[in-house]
Amino acid sequence: MTRRGGGAARHAILRMAGPRALRAGVTARDVGLMLRAMRLAREAAARGEVPVGAVLARGAQVVAEHANDRESTGDPTGHAELVALREAGKRRGAWRMSDCTLVVTLEPCAMCAGAIVNSRVGRVVYGARDPKAGACESLYAIPADTRLNHRPPMVGGVPAKACGRQLTAFFARRRQERSASSPRSSRSTTVA
């Protein structure tokens, strides 16, 4: 009975990934890590950070996890992926992450894609595509560039809609807050 319940839960989790991701080899563990990254993203949004979360795992073990922290630290490199990679390197005492999977809620930008290649991340799973700054599929395909010496497998869209909703809700709320706090412009008409 327990096995059946576990199997049903596994299938429910895998359905969240979507058919494209399943064809690309996404596992229940990947989706579980994404749910963890999404929780980090929600916590970041509550702190006023752009809601992006990243989890770096070696098999079933989480090596490091982080969310965006640029606003709170003033660090322009405070992207979730970079901070998680930095923490993982310190914990492991090594910069190579070839035995790790990086799971992130948003397609990495050029800066993060470069760090992924240079840290030799073994595999990347990401949620929403980023049409304005994505450097893994949308604008660029840095990790797939054949001129580079490391090209990790990339799986996008896990689960794209849920990750995208976190971002759109955050930016919609931010726009509402800004428009509510800005003084309404008073228009005066001059008559000549």
Side-chain angles (χ1 to χ4, degrees), residues 43-86:
E43 293 168 0
R47 295 188 309 272
E49 300 283 352
V50 174
V52 177
V55 178
L56 188 73
R58 181 175 182 248
Q61 177 191 11
V62 171
V63 179
E65 61 184 4
H66 214 280
N68 278 2
D69 67 4
R70 291 191 317 171
E71 300 299 327
S72 61
T73 64
D75 180 358
T77 67
H79 289 202
E81 306 96 299
L82 289 181
V83 181
L85 286 169
R86 196 176 302 129

Side-chain angles (χ1 to χ4, degrees), residues 21-181:
L22 292 176
R23 286 190 301 273
V26 168
T27 66
R29 180 178 295 143
D30 294 331
V31 177
L33 292 170
M34 183 60 79
L35 293 173
R36 191 171 178 149
M38 291 174 69
R39 178 185 47 80
L40 292 167
R42 277 191 304 277
E43 293 168 0
R47 295 188 309 272
E49 300 283 352
V50 174
V52 177
V55 178
L56 188 73
R58 181 175 182 248
Q61 177 191 11
V62 171
V63 179
E65 61 184 4
H66 214 280
N68 278 2
D69 67 4
R70 291 191 317 171
E71 300 299 327
S72 61
T73 64
D75 180 358
T77 67
H79 289 202
E81 306 96 299
L82 289 181
V83 181
L85 286 169
R86 196 176 302 129
E87 284 181 13
K90 287 178 186 173
R91 288 183 184 156
R92 294 178 64 170
W95 60 269
R96 285 182 185 86
M97 303 294 157
S98 55
D99 58 347
C100 294
T101 295
L102 177 66
V103 177
V104 60
T105 58
L106 180 65
E107 178 183 0
C109 68
M111 176 174 65
C112 296
I116 288 165
V117 169
N118 286 315
S119 63
R120 311 296 193 268
V121 170
R123 183 169 168 266
V124 178
V125 176
Y126 66 88
R129 290 182 68 196
D130 186 352
K132 293 183 178 180
C136 295
E137 175 180 22
S138 297
L139 291 180
Y140 308 103
I142 292 172
D145 192 319
T146 57
R147 296 169 293 181
L148 298 172
N149 63 343
H150 179 69
R151 291 178 298 281
M154 307 288 293
V155 181
V158 181
K161 288 180 183 177
C163 290
R165 278 192 298 266
Q166 278 189 315
L167 289 155
T168 54
F170 172 79
F171 287 113
R173 189 171 52 251
R174 183 182 268 183
R175 282 189 297 276
Q176 286 175 342
E177 290 168 357
R178 284 185 181 159
S179 67
S181 67

